[in-house]
Amino acid sequence: MSINFYRFGLVGYPLDHSLSPQLHQAALQSLGLSGEYRLYPISPFEERDVALKDLLRQMRNGVIHGLNVTIPHKQSMLSLMDALTPDARAIGAVNTIYHRDGTLIGENTDAAGFLADVARYIACYAGNCGAALVLGAGGAARAVVYGLSRTWKQIYVAARRQEQAQELVNDLRLHTTSSECSITPLSLDIQSLRQIKNECDLIVNATPLGMFPDVESNPWPEGEPLPENAVIYDLVYNPSITALVRSGRVGGHTAVTGLGMLIEQAGLAFECWTGKKPSRERMFQAVPSDLAPERM
Ligand code: NAP
């Protein structure tokens, strides 16, 4: 059945600063399609399940053609889906919902979105990727570690609560297909980082440190040199140059924010809904200029 007017949306709370409407409008325009992308702010406190189920009913009825999901509903959506993709199951969160033959499918495009963007900065092929260090062990870190575990040999996960890193590692061991990858939990402190940092070709910040308005915070310990030649990838994308990216660039590193991942994960969600690939360049151009760094 061809669709003349697509209806997509984002469910989460709060949604005031979301870039998703601009990104998806640009995606639609890049393909000459008509449609809208609405925000559905659903508070986690009042009638949450009723409101979420009502949105899902609209998807089943074909009124809404695709949904993105963000904090705080990414985990609660797991049990409301008819089926989960392997990525959503392994990451333990749904960020995209699509409809196939009467079935509502929960997907997570964060891991694939991260891999698609990071591949622009680090040449790495199956079997020859070295060690990566991920700072933080929350939802985004799970997606990043899961994605990297497909091709990297060693991943360190450093969290201020080491037990959270251990939990992430235990959970992902159940889902990672590659036994070649070793995933090691660490404490996010200067001594632990010093011991392993020089092995690492890639450092990923998956904590919110440095995010607006706390723009001077840096997850990397002050005064500690970043490992030579490592690519620095900061999932934070507001501001357009974070304190970590700035310190990386001062040290001569390739250092980028997570804006590219945001665009890639949105593009992949759009592909789930429409079966069509939107122009990432047009989506990038839709980002407000104060958030758009120069393309490297
Ligand atoms: P989350 O689930 O809340 O996890 C955050 C992680 O950072 C946790 O391990 C948390 O530890 C740690 N952390 C928080 N404050 C810290 C501090 N002051 N010092 C050290 N560690 C700290 O959040 P998330 O969903 O993973 O998101 C993390 C960041 O990634 C956010 O800034 C988000 O905007 C960004 N993100 C970007 C993209 C993208 O497309 N670019 C996608 C997803 C997320 P505790 O549990 O101990 O607090």
Side-chain angles (χ1 to χ4, degrees):
M1 188 187 66
S2 79
I3 295 170
N4 294 325
F5 190 86
Y6 283 98
R7 289 186 197 83
F8 306 133
L10 171 65
V11 51
Y13 195 86
L15 296 176
D16 307 336
H17 302 293
S18 174
L19 291 179
S20 295
Q22 290 103 307
L23 295 181
H24 285 283
Q25 275 302 337
L28 285 162
Q29 282 164 11
S30 78
L31 291 162
L33 300 173
S34 301
E36 64 179 15
Y37 188 99
R38 292 175 59 172
L39 297 178
Y40 298 100
I42 292 181
S43 147
F45 305 113
E46 290 165 36
E47 306 280 340
R48 181 196 69 170
D49 283 359
V50 176
L52 293 181
K53 283 179 181 165
D54 181 55
L55 273 182
L56 297 178
R57 194 164 36 249
Q58 293 188 56
M59 274 202 80
R60 286 184 200 284
N61 295 342
V63 176
I64 297 175
H65 303 106
L67 280 176
N68 283 135
V69 187
T70 188
I71 290 168
H73 302 309
K74 283 174 143 185
Q75 280 84 23
S76 12
M77 279 297 184
L78 288 166
S79 61
L80 300 177
M81 299 290 98
D82 300 329
L84 294 171
T85 64
D87 282 17
R89 194 181 300 281
I91 295 165
V94 167
N95 81 342
T96 298
I97 305 174
Y98 62 96
H99 199 208
R100 284 283 182 289
D101 306 324
T103 302
L104 278 191
I105 301 173
E107 168 66 288
N108 193 310
T109 60
D110 277 342
F114 168 74
L115 290 179
D117 193 51
V118 82
R120 302 175 67 227
Y121 306 103
I122 189 158
C124 174
Y125 307 97
N128 80 346
C129 308
L133 166 62
V134 178
L135 309 175
R142 288 175 94 89
V144 166
V145 175
Y146 171 68
L148 290 173
S149 70
R150 293 177 190 164
T151 49
W152 286 66
K153 292 199 180 78
Q154 171 72 59
I155 303 168
Y156 295 104
V157 185
R160 62 176 168 181
R161 292 181 294 120
Q162 198 180 337
E163 66 275 15
Q164 188 190 36
Q166 181 68 59
E167 204 177 307
L168 181 156
V169 171
N170 294 346
D171 282 359
L172 283 186
R173 278 200 188 117
L174 302 173
H175 294 282
T176 48
T177 44
S178 165
S179 55
E180 306 286 303
C181 180
S182 170
I183 313 177
T184 309
L186 288 181
S187 172
L188 180 45
D189 59 56
I190 193 162
Q191 287 80 14
S192 307
L193 298 183
R194 236 178 228 162
Q195 282 178 15
I196 55 93
K197 69 170 192 177
N198 289 329
E199 283 174 52
C200 297
D201 306 311
L202 172 66
I203 296 181
V204 182
N205 174 38
T207 78
L209 286 166
M211 188 164 71
F212 181 84
D214 189 18
V215 296
E216 290 310 321
S217 292
N218 190 330
W220 191 255
E222 198 179 342
E224 181 68 13
L226 286 158
E228 223 174 296
N229 299 325
V231 170
I232 313 299
Y233 195 101
D234 193 343
L235 259 55
V236 174
Y237 53 82
N238 183 5
S240 64
I241 297 184
T242 61
L244 175 63
V245 167
R246 196 182 317 118
S247 54
R249 290 186 183 173
V250 166
H253 296 260
T254 297
V256 294
T257 72
L259 183 66
M261 170 181 172
L262 183 80
I263 291 170
E264 287 294 342
Q265 63 78 30
L268 292 168
F270 188 96
E271 288 171 31
C272 291
W273 302 329
T274 64
K276 298 176 168 65
K277 186 173 172 131
S279 157
R280 303 309 199 253
E281 200 49 45
R282 292 281 294 274
M283 294 171 78
F284 180 79
Q285 285 163 7
V287 173
S289 54
D290 57 332
L291 289 186
E294 298 224 329
R295 279 283 213 194
M296 290 191 67

